[in-house]
Amino acid sequence: MSNLVTVPHNGTIANKTKNNFTNLSHWFDDMLNRDIPSVFNHLDYEMPKVNIKENAEAFTVELAVPGFDKKDFKLDLDHKVLSISAEIKEETENKEENYSRKEFGYASFKRTFTLPDSVDDEAINASYKDGVLSILLPKKEEAKQKPVRSIKIT
């Protein structure tokens, strides 16, 4: 008996019981993934995605972290290890004549990166705009890529 799952041409996995009913885990996943109205939907996310770019002058680290404010972030550098963390807490209360509803949410993350020796750790700076945290890691002068030069043969 095979435990392989059939993968249709559209790329989704069809995991059905022998009675052609979706199994309980898929039903449960479907229930959790429905659009339930909440003021905290922006808090429901995974670890932020990171882009790291390098050019001749510097490295740039970009994190996609919408829903945060600049004050929510904490950046630390300890022995060439850059730690980026953030925390956000929200609470709302809605009181009406016959009922009261109180909701709260919490989100946090922490990412760490070991910096190469070529980074000038005294010149690191960061900015936050449009949901993207950008950290500029300038290279030390001796680590910057030198332009190509021609050498004359004598």
Side-chain angles (χ1 to χ4, degrees), residues 15-101:
N15 192 5
K16 306 262 184 190
T17 64
K18 66 180 183 177
N19 294 331
N20 270 346
F21 292 110
T22 57
N23 65 23
L24 184 59
S25 67
H26 283 146
W27 176 82
F28 189 68
D29 289 343
D30 185 47
M31 289 297 292
L32 291 177
N33 290 326
R34 287 192 181 158
D35 290 332
I36 300 171
S38 172
V39 295
F40 301 109
N41 281 343
H42 68 280
L43 296 178
D44 184 26
Y45 68 94
E46 298 174 11
M47 191 66 69
K49 306 295 185 212
V50 176
N51 289 333
I52 300 175
K53 303 178 212 171
E54 179 183 11
N55 62 31
E57 303 292 318
F59 297 94
T60 304
V61 178
E62 296 175 327
L63 283 85
V65 283
F68 286 85
D69 289 325
K70 184 169 67 169
K71 64 178 175 37
D72 298 327
F73 296 102
K74 181 178 179 189
L75 277 66
D76 294 313
L77 183 63
D78 184 24
H79 294 80
K80 294 287 186 186
V81 176
L82 176 66
S83 298
I84 306 163
S85 60
E87 177 177 78
I88 187 171
K89 297 176 186 176
E90 288 189 14
E91 188 172 309
T92 63
E93 189 170 359
N94 184 6
K95 289 185 178 185
E96 293 194 17
E97 196 173 309
N98 296 330
Y99 70 93
S100 177
R101 182 180 77 198

Side-chain angles (χ1 to χ4, degrees), residues 56 144-151:
K144 291 181 182 176
Q145 186 176 350
K146 307 287 189 257
V148 176
R149 66 180 180 100
S150 295
I151 300 172

